[in-house]
Amino acid sequence: MRYELYYWPSIQGRGEFVRLALEEAGADYVDVARGSEKDGLGVPALMKLMNDESGATPPYAPPFLRAGKLLIGQSANILMYLGSRHKLAPKSEAGRLWTHQLQLTVTDFVKEIHDTHHPIASSLYYEEQKEAAQQYTVSFRKLRAPKYLGYFERVLERNPGGDKYLVGRSLSYADLSVFQLVAGLRYAFPQAMTQWEKKVPRVVALHDRVGVRPNVLAYLESDRRIPFNESGIFRHYPELDA
Ligand SMILES: N[C@@H](CCC(=O)N[C@@H](CS)C(=O)NCC(=O)O)C(=O)O
């Protein structure tokens, strides 16, 4: 089955957590909005699905994934689905729930990262909320980012299967997502991240381990990996990175 991923074509954003899972799994997928309009793809295809009033399970916002008859929204939900189909999560109920729990925590963290540049409203430009962004980011840098990263460090430390992966003894989609968090935070907050990383050596080692997996590495080096930029979740604004 060829999956159809629907996400904005010029940013990594929340779609990247799904792209990484599809790439690691070697899954057959089309990144719909990045395709050509001549082939019925591109942003119009994404908008068409978003505005479709006939579907009984409309997604709220991208990313969403078409898998045969299923149309699945919410990045954590998409990953839960891909995890069981592509051996990127344990089979047991407890293991599946735990991996999903970790992913929901990633989702929370992503929202707070987003709010560093959009603390007042997503509908306003960064330039219209710069002052509030600087205020918000003080506590993000001091408390929130270290707390989330420290949590994933503790999870690795306490994993009965060892500290190589977050869940058990093998890679899960949560590991891919923590890889993306580290890569993104390094881009957005290069100075602060140098300090945060000192306290989370297992998280950094996990990032390095995931980044050299053959499928992940091939993806990162391909033009399918959109470079970080100032339109996505992880934005580098030096004034926010004390
Ligand atoms: N919790 C959802 C959030 C989805 C979301 O906020 N998507 C963004 C793009 S990254 C969007 O287009 N939002 C439009 C909106 O919130 O109105 C997820 O993780 O998939």
Side-chain angles (χ1 to χ4, degrees):
M1 172 175 59
R2 167 172 275 206
Y3 296 114
E4 290 173 9
L5 171 65
Y6 291 82
Y7 194 67
W8 304 114
S10 52
I11 58 170
Q12 294 184 15
R14 291 177 173 92
E16 199 63 13
F17 298 96
V18 180
R19 291 191 183 110
L20 279 167
L22 290 165
E23 292 282 345
E24 166 60 28
D28 184 14
Y29 78 102
V30 54
D31 205 336
V32 173
R34 297 194 73 198
S36 157
E37 288 184 35
K38 277 189 288 180
D39 303 323
L41 304 170
V43 173
L46 186 155
M47 296 312 292
K48 189 168 171 230
L49 225 163
M50 292 251 293
N51 297 329
D52 175 27
E53 303 216 337
S54 62
T57 59
Y60 167 72
F64 41 93
L65 185 82
R66 169 119 58 199
K69 288 185 179 159
L70 295 175
L71 184 59
I72 310 163
Q74 289 284 354
S75 46
N77 202 31
I78 300 169
L79 289 169
M80 186 167 69
Y81 170 79
L82 291 175
S84 40
R85 286 183 61 98
H86 294 280
K87 298 199 171 106
L88 286 173
K91 284 205 177 96
S92 69
E93 182 177 54
R96 276 187 289 123
L97 282 171
W98 175 226
T99 315
H100 185 52
Q101 181 177 326
L102 292 172
Q103 193 63 40
L104 291 171
T105 307
V106 170
T107 302
D108 289 347
F109 193 9
V110 166
K111 165 78 172 112
E112 294 195 30
I113 294 165
H114 165 272
D115 290 353
T116 60
H117 44 81
H118 278 78
I120 295 181
S122 300
S123 52
L124 297 175
Y125 288 110
Y126 167 65
E127 286 68 24
E128 296 173 279
Q129 45 195 320
K130 253 176 123 167
E131 263 180 46
Q134 289 192 16
Q135 282 173 31
Y136 177 96
T137 307
V138 170
S139 114
F140 174 84
R141 282 195 312 262
K142 195 164 172 220
L143 303 171
R144 303 302 293 170
K147 184 170 179 181
Y148 278 108
L149 290 170
Y151 171 72
F152 291 117
E153 179 74 11
R154 269 200 326 279
V155 170
L156 285 165
E157 195 177 353
R158 290 196 202 171
N159 178 8
D163 64 3
K164 278 181 110 177
Y165 301 106
L166 289 160
V167 181
R169 290 189 170 76
S170 51
L171 182 92
S172 70
Y173 60 77
D175 296 309
L176 296 168
S177 293
V178 168
F179 162 83
Q180 176 66 4
L181 288 175
V182 171
L185 290 169
R186 280 182 179 173
Y187 173 79
F189 298 95
Q191 287 196 50
M193 188 59 173
T194 312
Q195 299 304 315
W196 301 334
E197 283 192 22
K198 288 183 186 157
K199 296 202 168 145
V200 292
R202 292 175 183 82
V203 169
V204 174
L206 175 63
H207 164 275
D208 297 349
R209 199 173 297 119
V210 169
V212 295
R213 291 180 72 86
N215 286 1
V216 172
L217 186 60
Y219 169 60
L220 297 177
E221 289 176 345
S222 75
D223 58 10
R224 298 191 301 288
R225 172 81 164 181
I226 301 163
F228 286 110
N229 59 48
E230 277 54 62
S231 301
I233 299 285
F234 298 99
R235 303 186 184 191
H236 179 52
Y237 294 124
E239 61 274 21
L240 300 183
D241 180 29

